[in-house]
Amino acid sequence: MSSTTTELADLQRALGQLRASVGALRSRYGDVNAVRRISNDVERLGIDIAELTSLPVPRGGAGPGAAETVIVPDTPYDSSLWRDADDEGVGGQRGY
């Protein structure tokens, strides 16, 4: 069993416990707004967990949309990039 499968199984167990707890809260407090909101949140978690279980397990720990490292060189920028630009909030550098 991979760690992702174990994590999803743990999530599903925790979700089952949450559902049972929400049922107990509903029995104690009735159908009040707070219990309905919590119940809605638990339902949304169930939808998200189901979606995760349907996705392929990513290899190497980097899934879709993982951040890509961008290397920024230490060399100075071309000064022509800043021609006709002012430092915002510092005021104009042109003397007018």
Side-chain angles (χ1 to χ4, degrees):
M1 182 180 273
S2 72
S3 68
T4 303
T5 305
T6 303
E7 292 159 352
L8 288 172
D10 289 345
L11 271 174
Q12 289 173 332
R13 269 191 300 279
L15 182 64
Q17 291 172 337
L18 277 171
R19 285 185 172 136
S21 296
V22 170
L25 288 172
R26 184 170 280 118
S27 295
R28 183 172 190 165
Y29 294 101
D31 195 30
V32 296
N33 286 335
V35 173
R36 278 185 284 185
R37 284 192 302 266
I38 293 169
S39 179
N40 185 41
D41 291 343
V42 170
E43 185 62 31
R44 288 176 43 222
L45 284 170
I47 292 167
D48 290 340
I49 292 169
E51 183 179 327
L52 280 176
T53 58
S54 69
L55 294 175
V57 177
R59 300 273 183 224
E68 181 180 326
T69 302
V70 177
I71 299 172
V72 179
D74 289 337
T75 57
Y77 288 106
D78 180 4
S79 61
S80 67
L81 292 172
W82 309 112
R83 190 177 313 129
D84 297 328
D86 291 329
D87 289 333
E88 187 175 320
V90 176
Q93 302 296 318
R94 297 189 194 130
Y96 52 83

